[in-house]
Amino acid sequence: GHPQRIAVQIFPYAKGRRLMLTRDITAIELAEAMRRDFVANVSHEIRSPLTVISGFVETLQTLNLSDAERAHFLDLIAQQAQRLHTLVDDLLTLSRLEGSPAPDDAQWVAANELLLEAVAQAQALSKVLHGGEQSLVLQPGPALDVAGARNELLSALSNLLSNAVRYTPAHGRIEVGWRLLPDEGVEFYVTDNGPGIAPEHLPRLTERFYRVDRSRSRESGGTGLGLAIVKHVAQRHGGQLLIDSQVGVGSTFRLRLPPARVCVGPAG
Ligand code: ADP
């Protein structure tokens, strides 16, 4: 539903004669608008932690505080600095994914090994956020290797897992695993019994900075870039990201890779 935009140029080329050139610039204008939006979003995301940091620095400089109070403010400053760090890391990851060709110097990685590492990271996060009450289950799957950029695949799976950990409450359950598809492709899945996502949000979920609940995302350390990163990684590997969710029931995120990227059998 975007209005079409046409650029018109008129060239007088002889007495009383003009040539009119028209060009459809809808796509160009759309790309330009998206770029402007993106810059505005990034600026906003940087500004809020910066405001907090300068505010607390000023507090430290002007008030006469006890050691305990000072330590408290320093903690808050460190938290916001960490937020900026994560944001910049995610931005760099995204721009690397968007600006470089798909990984063809593929490494073969065991599915099992990828998930073990992603789950270890998620477990650590779950402990911090929910004090070890969440259950995080890695389902065994068929022995297989996948071809791709190891760090990208790991970051995609970690993003899906960290979302599940962050949005699912303490007593919730998260299941992760992989399965072969009928066409011999592979599907990694992350399922949670968290709050779920209303259908109207689903189509926009992988847009950069799109969040269902902004403050909820921020509180748990979200940048709003995670699913954009996952989608890029999937597409660069010729695969796709599928999202199923139901409010009050939970969500399933599936990262699919095509048969060409799969080698079945024990790693050797
Ligand atoms: P964020 O850093 O905000 O988590 P993402 O791009 O990873 O950014 O996710 C976008 C939004 O999708 C989140 O803000 C959240 O609203 C929603 N979301 C992602 N994963 C889940 C999940 N497992 N359960 C519920 N909502 C989710």
Side-chain angles (χ1 to χ4, degrees):
H2 291 278
Q4 200 180 33
R5 299 272 292 150
I6 307 289
V8 179
Q9 278 177 299
I10 296 173
F11 301 98
Y13 68 97
K15 198 166 181 232
R17 299 198 152 259
R18 290 190 205 104
L19 177 70
M20 187 169 89
L21 280 185
T22 62
R23 208 154 47 99
D24 185 343
I25 55 166
T26 317
I28 300 172
E29 297 232 327
L30 220 66
E32 185 52 30
M34 278 177 67
R35 195 195 58 79
R36 274 196 306 268
D37 267 12
F38 180 65
V39 171
N41 273 325
V42 171
S43 312
H44 183 77
E45 295 294 328
I46 291 174
R47 184 163 30 195
S48 7
L50 269 185
T51 305
V52 178
I53 290 174
S54 354
F56 288 145
V57 166
E58 199 184 314
T59 307
L60 285 170
Q61 285 169 333
T62 53
L63 293 186
N64 214 344
L65 300 170
S66 70
D67 281 354
E69 287 167 329
R70 193 169 301 124
H72 175 66
F73 281 112
L74 285 170
D75 270 354
L76 296 174
I77 290 171
Q79 263 172 38
Q80 298 301 316
Q82 180 55 50
R83 214 173 116 187
L84 284 171
H85 226 112
T86 312
L87 175 65
V88 171
D89 283 349
D90 278 0
L91 283 168
L92 283 174
T93 301
L94 251 189
S95 88
R96 226 177 290 126
L97 292 177
E98 286 173 344
S100 65
D104 53 6
D105 56 326
Q107 309 144 275
W108 287 95
V109 203
N112 172 46
E113 187 213 323
L114 270 179
L115 277 189
L116 275 175
E117 189 165 341
V119 166
Q121 290 175 10
Q123 221 126 33
L125 180 66
S126 178
K127 225 176 197 138
V128 172
L129 293 178
H130 308 293
E133 286 183 90
Q134 227 171 28
S135 72
L136 191 51
V137 180
L138 174 55
Q139 300 286 6
L144 57 87
D145 289 1
V146 296
R150 186 183 189 284
N151 60 338
E152 289 182 23
L153 293 171
L154 184 60
S155 121
L157 294 168
S158 294
N159 267 305
L160 293 181
L161 269 165
S162 87
N163 279 352
V165 165
R166 290 187 298 116
Y167 296 109
T168 305
H171 290 284
R173 176 184 164 90
I174 297 159
E175 251 181 58
V176 44
W178 73 100
R179 60 173 74 95
L180 265 178
L181 298 170
D183 69 353
E184 299 274 283
V186 69
E187 173 175 283
F188 293 93
Y189 61 87
V190 178
T191 297
D192 65 59
N193 63 356
I197 302 155
E200 66 266 27
H201 295 293
L202 293 179
R204 300 197 58 191
L205 231 48
T206 59
E207 284 175 24
R208 300 178 291 195
F209 296 118
Y210 188 85
R211 294 143 152 148
V212 176
D213 181 338
R214 189 165 290 274
S215 60
R216 178 114 188 243
S217 156
R218 289 222 181 103
E219 257 166 46
S220 62
T223 60
L225 297 174
L227 291 179
I229 290 173
V230 179
K231 185 182 167 191
H232 271 287
V233 171
Q235 286 177 346
R236 282 159 63 77
H237 288 77
Q240 54 182 330
L241 171 67
L242 304 170
I243 309 173
D244 295 294
S245 190
Q246 217 180 322
V247 172
V249 177
S251 311
T252 297
F253 291 78
R254 291 178 291 161
L255 172 63
R256 284 191 175 171
L257 298 178
R261 299 229 171 236
V262 181
C263 173
V264 183

